[in-house]
Amino acid sequence: MSNLEQLLEGVGVEWKTLGELVKLQRGRRLVKKQLKETGGYAVYQNSMTPLGYYTENNVKAYSTFIICAGAAGEIGFSDVEFWAADDVHYCITPDFVNNKFIYYYLMTKKYKISSQVRRASIPRLSKRVLEKIKIPIPCPDNPEKSLAIQKEIVRILDNFTELTAELTAELTARKKQYSYYREQLLRFRESEVKHLPMGDESVGKFIRGKRFVKTDMISEGVPCIHYGEMYTHYDTWADKTKSFVSRELVEKKNLRRAEKGDVVLVAAGETIEDIGQGTAWLGEEGAVIHDACFYYKSDINPKYVAYFTRTRQFHDQIKKHIRTGKISAINAAGLGKAVIPIPPLEEQERIVNILDKFDTLTTSISEGLPREIELRHKQYEYYREQLLSF
């Protein structure tokens, strides 16, 4: 920061509209038959995902571009050459303006830009709106120093971006490693340990929850778990719930509760792959369970069971028992047919301890990589605002 402070010392700023400062060039239309699935140059049309690839490019490397239809208001930057289609505008900058400096400044105005999008069947953003955005140019009377300041700001923000990208790549690798070890640690030869159906009376019992609706859920009261929350909120274990219901409702409807050590499994949803995933309930107070869920009572380590329900081994067994439709579902009998390996309790605990470490690293918002990424992103946004608040 000291180099930047020296650069900024006594520096004036001139505000110019984007239309005055750069040439905002509209891309050129391509038809679908001109595109390839791979190779050549990426073609951007109405989103930040390439529409396909083309043999030529019409935008130089190191360029800022804005989507003006579809995902209108999205701002991108490319280090490589690409083809901008007719729903994309890109910035051609003069020698005294750093193109990526424009990108970073526009990102601070993203909310304002998005608010100018015309919401219709196809959202659109006009070139006139973009041209009116005011851009600060430091030290306008000294183009060489102005460019040096812009480059230093870009360098600092690039460092934050690269660090976040490195952490995200590490998180992706760790998740793959976690998934691999979860599959391996929960797979045993039949000669090594007992393998029994989960619904066997000597192993465990599935109990279906009872119906309540979202309007029954309140901010405090008796802990409850709605089946929709299993997809969005809960992971391998929980000791607190996001939602609650009143004690009066529990008594009136005789709602069922999972107790500490039970495993809650989601039994309905739009995505077959997620049906059956379990969460070990470790709260001291029982949690009311929705009727699109089951809770599983067993002497097996609850976290061991929850990890098992998230393996390919488990899902390959239950998917043939899932009833498909707009909402797919499975019943207790289908879940109960899944065969689970049952090593001694000491081995179950050892496996759980190993997987807990991976789970914390890859999912924890207070300790693991997701928390680190969140902090770095906030730090990046803070410095971006500070560096670009002229």
Side-chain angles (χ1 to χ4, degrees), residues 14-26 63-68 73-76 88-94 96-110 112-113 125-137 150:
E14 182 180 1
W15 291 84
K16 290 190 174 185
T17 65
L18 188 64
E20 293 173 326
L21 192 62
V22 309
K23 182 179 180 182
L24 200 58
Q25 180 69 47
R26 185 177 183 179
S63 292
T64 298
F65 62 98
I66 304 104
I67 306 294
C68 292
E74 288 295 314
I75 302 161
V88 175
H89 285 79
Y90 57 96
C91 297
I92 301 174
T93 53
F96 64 91
V97 176
N98 183 294
N99 209 308
K100 202 166 192 180
F101 175 83
I102 298 295
Y103 164 74
Y104 279 128
Y105 187 77
L106 289 178
M107 288 296 288
T108 70
K109 302 299 177 185
K110 190 173 180 180
K112 183 177 179 180
I113 292 170
L125 179 66
S126 75
K127 181 180 179 181
R128 288 193 300 274
V129 167
L130 296 172
E131 288 177 330
K132 291 178 181 178
I133 298 169
K134 289 190 174 181
I135 307 289
I137 296 300
Q150 294 171 48

Side-chain angles (χ1 to χ4, degrees), residues 170-330:
E170 183 180 353
L171 177 60
T172 300
R174 292 295 185 185
K175 282 183 174 179
K176 288 182 180 178
Q177 190 179 32
Y178 173 27
S179 179
Y180 171 81
Y181 279 111
R182 186 173 58 201
E183 295 291 337
Q184 296 302 309
L185 287 167
L186 292 164
R187 191 175 292 277
F188 296 85
R189 294 190 182 93
E190 290 191 19
S191 59
E192 293 176 326
V193 302
K194 291 186 297 183
H195 285 65
L196 293 170
M198 293 178 71
D200 189 294
E201 61 181 15
S202 67
V203 180
K205 181 180 181 182
F206 290 97
I207 302 170
R208 186 176 179 176
K210 283 195 171 183
R211 182 169 174 75
F212 61 89
V213 295
K214 284 188 175 180
T215 53
D216 292 326
M217 288 154 47
I218 54 180
S219 59
E220 57 182 35
V222 179
C224 74
I225 296 176
H226 187 272
Y227 92 97
E229 295 172 337
M230 289 290 290
Y231 294 109
T232 59
H233 183 73
Y234 294 102
D235 199 14
T236 309
W237 66 274
D239 58 6
K240 294 180 177 63
T241 60
K242 179 182 181 182
S243 308
F244 302 84
V245 290
S246 68
R247 295 194 181 277
E248 292 77 15
L249 186 73
V250 175
E251 293 171 4
K252 179 182 177 182
K253 291 193 172 184
N254 195 25
L255 297 178
R256 291 173 178 158
R257 302 194 212 188
E259 302 298 336
K260 185 176 183 179
D262 293 342
V263 180
V264 181
L265 291 89
V266 65
E270 296 178 6
T271 307
I272 291 176
E273 287 299 313
D274 291 332
I275 289 177
Q277 71 178 16
T279 297
W281 175 248
L282 303 179
E284 295 299 329
E285 185 178 0
V288 168
I289 303 303
H290 189 263
D291 69 337
C293 295
F294 289 89
Y295 55 101
Y296 183 62
K297 288 188 172 293
S298 173
D299 290 332
I300 304 173
N301 185 308
K303 280 189 175 181
Y304 177 90
V305 174
Y307 282 124
F308 178 72
T309 66
R310 293 164 186 266
T311 63
R312 176 56 49 201
Q313 179 185 174
F314 173 73
H315 278 275
D316 284 347
Q317 294 185 75
I318 69 165
K319 65 184 179 183
K320 56 190 171 187
H321 302 296
I322 296 174
R323 302 186 308 277
T324 57
K326 186 175 181 181
I327 298 293
S328 300
I330 192 169

